[in-house]
Amino acid sequence: MTYRPDEVDRRILYYLGMNARDTSAPAIAEEVDVTPATVRNRINRLEDHGIIRGYHADIDYESSNGKVTTQFTCTAPVSKRSALVNEALSTPGVIRVRELLAGQENLVVTAVGKDTTDINRIAQQLSSAGVTIEREDIVLDETFQPYHGFAPEEDRAPSAVTDLQTVVGGGEVVEFTVSETADVAGLSLKTADQRGLLADEVLVVGIERDGDHVTPDGDTRIRPGDLVSVFSPETLPERLVDAFDSEPRPANEGV
């Protein structure tokens, strides 16, 4: 089954993409309003589903004894393209291969050589493997940044809603994060219902807590850092969103 990342996953990917080495689970948890254990569990899940494929050092090879980094733009027969990726990766000096969805110039190979003679050796091995080198460029520098689409939206107040799925019949399953200031934080589901925070027509169907899944009942207490999944047969009631909202209410506003 295909895994669909939610807002929590996307935020985790953003912070890892910014600096995977120095970004800890507690630091991400503070930004996302979940527990460090939940962050670690989500990272493991993203790895298991192949969404996080690895963690790589950004190395300046030119500063390492004057190595030369070269990018080869190549064409490989479409029927043999995937096999030629493995051939290219087996060539000493090749550090990255990108496979493009195109008929021409469909492989981009990045290689590091000791000098121009070594780069020529890599080019000859790639040609012998069956690819046609269309262009050869020296890489001066390469800069990375995380994908902005996963970034938190700084121009609006953070929302407690981290995921929403429409189900058959028009109902919705919504996932909320619980912050310290949420009205439901610290309350049992029974108490939250008695205070009118949970609409009669909705059902709390699951809670993700510290990487574990809790089957909720009336005595289950909602804790800060929980991820709470709620089913609503119709459009989600506004007061339910308010109950999970992390923005504190005015002191004179009733529950």
Side-chain angles (χ1 to χ4, degrees), residues 172-189:
E172 296 177 341
V173 176
V174 184
E175 182 183 78
F176 294 96
T177 55
V178 182
S179 70
E180 295 278 355
T181 58
D183 289 343
V184 296
L187 302 180
S188 68
L189 292 177

Side-chain angles (χ1 to χ4, degrees), residues 26-161:
I28 298 175
E30 187 174 338
E31 297 289 342
V32 187
D33 276 336
V34 298
T35 65
T38 294
V39 171
R40 285 189 285 268
N41 182 67
R42 289 300 187 96
I43 290 175
N44 290 337
R45 190 185 307 173
L46 291 165
E47 291 173 346
D48 290 342
H49 285 84
I51 296 171
I52 296 178
R53 298 188 295 185
Y55 304 88
H56 307 286
D58 182 8
I59 301 172
D60 184 347
Y61 290 99
E62 186 177 359
S63 297
S64 175
N65 295 324
K67 300 293 191 298
V68 179
T69 303
T70 302
Q71 179 173 288
F72 299 96
T73 302
C74 310
T75 296
V78 174
S79 61
K80 299 180 179 179
R81 181 173 52 200
S82 295
L84 288 173
V85 168
N86 294 326
E87 287 279 349
L89 287 171
S90 67
T91 302
V94 171
I95 60 170
R96 182 184 302 116
V97 180
R98 295 185 180 92
E99 187 175 352
L100 308 182
L101 188 62
Q104 299 292 316
E105 298 189 357
N106 51 19
L107 285 184
V108 179
V109 179
T110 304
V112 176
K114 299 175 183 178
D115 48 33
T116 54
T117 300
D118 200 22
I119 291 296
N120 288 335
R121 186 267 306 167
I122 295 171
Q124 291 172 2
Q125 288 188 243
L126 291 174
S127 298
S128 298
V131 302
T132 300
I133 297 176
E134 309 287 356
R135 193 169 64 252
E136 181 178 329
D137 301 290
I138 300 294
V139 178
L140 293 179
D141 199 4
E142 190 172 14
T143 304
F144 297 90
Q145 66 177 13
Y147 172 52
H148 75 282
F150 291 163
E153 296 185 35
E154 298 180 357
D155 58 347
R156 63 172 175 83
S159 171
V161 176

